[in-house]
Amino acid sequence: MATSSDHPQHPTAPTVPAGPSPLNGLLYGHIYSAAVRAVAVHRIADRLADGPRAVEDLAKDCGLHADSLRRVLRLLAMHGLFSQDGSGAFGLTEAGRPLRTDVPGSQHAAALFITDEMLRRASYGITDTLRTGETSFEAAYGRPFFEHLAATPAARDLFDAGMASLSGRVVELVAGSYAFPDGGTVVDVGGGRGGFLRAVLSREPGLNGVLFDRPDTVSDHRLDAEELTGRWRVAAGDFFTGVPAGGDLYLLKNILHDWDDEDCLRILGAVRRAAAPGKRLLVVDAVLPDNGDPHPAVELDMIMLMVLKGRERTAAEFESLLTRSGFRLNRVLPTPSLSSIIEAEAV
C-alpha cells in the first residue's frame, strides 16, 4: 500500500473563501487592476466595439495568446466590464465602454495612468508612510512627484493624458452646476490647458477669461475655438507667488487637494492679493463628509497620501483655509461629479 512518503510533496494551492468576503475582494484588488491594465494596453475594448467576438479571433487580431486572453476576460466579465455568451464569445458591456479610446468620456488614458508603475511602486511604500508620514512616491523615486514629471517627459505625458481623461466629462458637469455671471473676467488659476475655462466661456458668451499656469502648460492650451475668439488670454507664472489681478471670479479646480495646508494658504493668499473685496472664488474639489460617511474621494485621498503632500478635505477644513486667507465661505454646491463647488468671497 502506498504511503504519503511514496509520492513527491507538492505545495498546497492557495484556497479562496467559499462565500463573498470584503477582505477577499480587497486582497485581490491589485490583480483586478492588473487585468484592466492588460486589456487597456492591448485596446481590447476598441476591438469589441462592433459586438462580441470569439476569443480565438480576438487573440489572433491582437497577436495575443488565446487561452491567456480568455482567462483575463473571464475575470473582468465577472466584474461586469465584459460579457461572455453561451458560445464563449466575449462582448463589451456598458460598464466597460469607457475603456474604448474613441468614445466621449473615454477613461482609457486614466486606466493606463492609475495602473502605471509610478502609482504601483508608490503604493508598496504605504507601510513606511504609516511610520514616517512621508509620501511613498518620493521615497521610491528620490524626488517629489511634480519634479519627477518635469524631468521625465513620458511620465508627464502619461499624467497629462490621464488627468484629461479623468476630467473630460467632469468639466461639463461642473460648469453646468453653477450660475456663472454673464459678464466680467474669470481667472482660472492653475487651469492646465484650459478645458474647464473653455467649458465656462462656452456657456456664457459675455464672459472673458484668463488661463493662468506654468509657461510650458499654457503654451499648449486648448482655447483656440471660434466661439471664444477675442475673449481669452493666457498668463504664465507661479501661483505660489502671484496670480493675475483684476478678475471678477477666480477658479481653483482640483488644485488645493494637491497640497498640504501650508502650501494651500500660500496659493489662497496669492489669489486673495489679486482679488478685490467682494470678488468671488470657486474652489472645485471633492468635499468629504464631516461625519466620516463613505465617499468615493476617500480612494483619491489614498493617492494623495502616496504621491503628494495633499489631501481630500471636509467642508470645515476648507472653511478654515479660506478664513485664514481672507475669504468668507458662502456655500458648498454638489455637482453630478466627484467634485463639489465651494463658493467663497474676498473680505
Side-chain angles (χ1 to χ4, degrees):
M1 185 177 195
T3 66
S4 60
S5 61
D6 296 323
H7 301 284
Q9 297 297 301
H10 297 284
T12 302
T15 58
V16 178
S21 165
L23 177 59
N24 191 56
L26 291 172
L27 292 176
Y28 280 81
H30 67 291
I31 295 176
Y32 303 145
S33 62
V36 171
R37 179 173 183 81
V39 298
V41 166
H42 293 292
R43 299 197 173 189
I44 300 299
D46 284 351
R47 300 174 190 272
L48 292 174
D50 295 329
R53 297 176 64 180
V55 73
E56 291 79 10
D57 174 55
L58 186 59
K60 182 178 180 181
D61 189 22
C62 302
L64 303 177
H65 184 257
D67 187 56
S68 298
L69 178 59
R70 176 185 292 107
R71 294 164 70 178
V72 169
L73 290 176
R74 181 174 61 188
L75 173 69
L76 296 178
M78 189 170 75
H79 290 274
L81 298 184
F82 298 90
S83 62
Q84 185 176 16
D85 64 22
S87 69
F90 285 94
L92 186 66
T93 66
E94 189 61 29
R97 188 171 180 269
L99 285 172
R100 286 176 53 182
T101 61
D102 58 350
V103 295
S106 170
Q107 298 290 284
H108 181 266
L112 293 179
F113 170 65
I114 296 297
T115 62
D116 185 71
E117 179 193 2
M118 286 192 295
L119 295 193
R120 292 202 315 272
R121 187 173 166 188
S123 71
Y124 300 150
I126 291 179
T127 302
D128 292 327
T129 295
L130 292 181
R131 184 179 65 253
T132 66
E134 299 299 320
T135 64
S136 49
F137 183 94
E138 192 165 346
Y141 283 88
R143 55 190 174 192
F145 180 67
F146 287 122
E147 285 187 16
H148 178 75
L149 295 186
T152 315
R156 183 178 64 244
D157 291 345
L158 178 66
F159 172 76
D160 287 346
M163 292 302 98
S165 175
L166 287 169
S167 64
R169 187 164 179 265
V170 170
V171 296
E172 296 294 340
L173 295 174
V174 173
S177 299
Y178 187 80
F180 286 92
D182 56 8
T185 299
V186 56
V187 181
D188 194 356
V189 177
R193 296 176 179 176
F196 186 42
L197 182 60
R198 177 171 177 162
V200 170
L201 296 182
S202 295
R203 287 177 172 273
E204 295 296 339
L207 264 181
N208 293 315
V210 180
L211 177 65
F212 179 77
D213 211 311
R214 297 167 301 172
D216 59 326
T217 299
V218 296
S219 65
D220 193 27
H221 68 80
R222 298 175 177 172
L223 296 174
D224 284 322
E226 184 176 351
E227 68 272 18
L228 304 185
T229 300
R231 296 172 48 209
W232 58 270
R233 66 181 178 89
V234 300
D238 180 353
F239 56 35
F240 286 116
T241 58
V243 305
D248 298 290
L249 178 66
Y250 286 83
L251 307 177
L252 283 170
K253 178 183 174 293
N254 298 140
I255 300 297
L256 297 186
H257 77 154
D258 285 344
W259 306 97
D260 61 19
D261 285 0
E262 181 180 348
D263 282 335
C264 284
L265 291 173
R266 292 171 62 200
I267 297 168
L268 289 168
V271 176
R272 178 59 188 87
R273 291 191 297 273
K279 301 302 182 182
R280 284 177 291 166
L281 164 67
L282 303 185
V283 175
V284 179
D285 258 323
V287 177
L288 297 179
D290 289 291
N291 60 5
D293 282 349
H295 190 283
V298 172
E299 297 168 341
L300 183 57
D301 186 59
M302 287 303 298
I303 294 181
M304 297 297 111
L305 180 66
M306 289 160 37
V307 175
L308 299 167
K309 294 185 178 180
R311 63 190 307 126
E312 304 306 318
R313 294 178 171 87
T314 65
E317 290 170 328
F318 277 115
E319 183 171 21
S320 174
L321 291 174
L322 290 165
T323 299
R324 292 165 64 188
S325 304
F327 290 95
R328 178 179 60 247
L329 176 66
N330 288 340
R331 53 181 175 159
V332 177
L333 299 172
T335 77
S337 74
L338 183 70
S339 297
S340 294
I341 298 172
I342 304 149
E343 182 191 66
E345 184 177 320
V347 295

